[in-house]
């Protein structure tokens, strides 16, 4: 049976892979953050992301490089990739919004929607479902939303101030921007040439009710790899999941 939503789903994506990764040192002394491997997985973060994007129907990816760009570019040239990859490097820092705009200009289908992801995200969920959610709401941009576990133990109390329970690393009560996006074709025109889209474009779209949030399904794995502790915890979590 033909899927009626297939034609509206993106087949192209941008991966933002230019960050310094200073909090992941010494792992990022000789490689960019997306080239760091979670112990036990056998693949760098960027390799996992490209495989996931391919599984979700993406055929073309633009990788925006920065810190130690040549290391990432050399790996992409030598690896057997499941998608066509183009790399771009900013001649000068443009900020997150400007960098996204610059990378989007190199997508092969400028009149079609696209995915984007930060280069330090390790996750697995249905991008097809997220794209359908985006289309149903006629949004210009859709953010994946996660509920990460807070890094401290929590306590429950009753109305009299008695502690009734201890909870180790509970999920946050707030949803956060998970660093994965679906964008309509018109979104790139709304991005600043320089600066941060999360302080300009996103608030503007939110006021106009053209920004939507897709909750990552319960049970789907998500983690931002930002520190050495994240690497250790991700390795343990993925081993427990058998991934």
């Amino acid at each position: 049976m033909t899927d009626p939503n297939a034609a509206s789903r993106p087949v192209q994506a941008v991966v933002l892979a230019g960050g310094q990764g200073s909090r992941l040192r010494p792992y990022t002394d000789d490689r960019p953050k997306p080239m760091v491997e979670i112990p036990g997985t056998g693949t760098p973060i960027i390799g996992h992301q490209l495989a996931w994007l391919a599984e979700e129907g993406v055929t073309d990816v633009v990788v925006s490089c920065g810190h130690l760009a040549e290391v990432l570019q050399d790996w992409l040239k030598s690896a057997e990739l499941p998608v066509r990859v183009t790399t771009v490097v900013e001649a000068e820092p443009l900020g997150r919004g400007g960098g996204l705009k610059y990378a989007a200009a190199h997508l092969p289908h400028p009149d079609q929607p696209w995915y984007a992801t930060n280069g330090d995200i390790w996750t697995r969920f249905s991008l097809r479902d997220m794209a359908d959610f985006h289309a149903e709401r006629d949004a210009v941009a859709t953010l994946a939303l996660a509920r990460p576990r807070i890094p401290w133990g929590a306590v429950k109390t009753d109305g009299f101030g008695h502690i009734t329970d201890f909870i180790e690393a509970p999920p946050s009560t707030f949803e956060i921007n998970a660093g994965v996006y679906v964008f309509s074709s018109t979104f790139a025109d709304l991005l600043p040439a320089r600066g941060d889209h999360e302080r300009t474009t996103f608030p503007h779209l939110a006021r106009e009710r053209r920004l939507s949030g897709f909750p990552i399904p319960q049970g789907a794995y998500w983690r931002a790899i930002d520190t050495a502790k994240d690497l250790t915890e991700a390795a343990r979590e993925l081993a427990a999941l058998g991934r």
Side-chain angles (χ1 to χ4, degrees):
M1 180 181 293
T2 302
D3 187 341
N5 296 320
S8 65
R9 295 175 186 145
V11 296
Q12 55 187 355
V14 167
V15 175
L16 296 173
Q20 290 282 337
S22 57
R23 292 203 290 166
L24 260 176
R25 288 176 178 160
Y27 298 100
T28 51
D29 284 344
D30 62 353
R31 69 196 64 193
K33 188 193 292 189
M35 284 297 299
V36 172
E37 178 183 326
I38 295 176
T41 63
T43 185
I45 297 170
I46 185 73
H48 169 81
Q49 290 183 329
L50 295 176
W52 174 46
L53 290 168
E55 290 169 8
E56 294 296 323
V58 172
T59 58
D60 293 90
V61 176
V62 176
V63 178
S64 178
C65 307
H67 174 63
L68 297 174
E70 66 282 356
V71 176
L72 179 51
Q73 290 173 319
D74 288 346
W75 183 84
L76 290 169
K77 289 176 184 176
S78 64
E80 291 187 14
L81 303 176
V83 292
R84 290 184 291 270
V85 173
T86 302
T87 60
V88 297
V89 181
E90 298 170 26
E92 55 184 328
L94 300 174
R96 291 191 297 174
L100 194 59
K101 187 182 188 79
Y102 180 69
H106 295 78
L107 289 167
H109 310 291
D111 59 337
Q112 295 180 18
W114 45 293
Y115 297 116
T117 182
N118 296 341
D120 60 356
I121 302 298
W122 191 287
T123 188
R124 269 291 196 279
F125 63 90
S126 174
L127 286 175
R128 291 181 172 91
D129 287 349
M130 185 176 173
D132 293 346
F133 179 97
H134 171 84
E136 287 164 3
R137 284 150 185 80
D138 196 27
V140 173
T142 296
L143 288 61
L145 304 176
R147 288 186 184 273
R149 293 190 174 275
I150 62 175
W152 308 284
V155 296
K156 279 189 174 181
T157 59
D158 62 18
F160 296 97
H162 300 128
I163 292 176
T164 60
D165 198 6
F166 292 88
I167 306 169
E168 183 63 29
S172 168
T173 56
F174 293 98
E175 293 174 311
I176 68 164
N177 179 353
V180 180
Y181 312 91
V182 182
F183 296 134
S184 297
S185 60
T186 57
F187 178 74
D189 293 334
L190 304 176
L191 287 166
R194 291 177 181 272
D196 189 346
H197 60 293
E198 293 194 10
R199 296 186 179 184
T200 55
T201 310
F202 280 174
H204 172 74
L205 290 174
R207 287 192 294 270
E208 295 187 346
R209 299 294 188 268
R210 296 192 293 163
L211 183 69
S212 62
F214 174 79
I216 293 177
Q218 187 173 4
Y221 187 76
W222 178 91
R223 180 177 279 276
I225 309 300
D226 198 40
T227 66
K229 183 180 179 182
D230 291 326
L231 274 179
T232 302
E233 292 182 350
R236 184 180 67 247
E237 291 163 354
L238 291 170
L241 292 169
R243 298 178 184 177

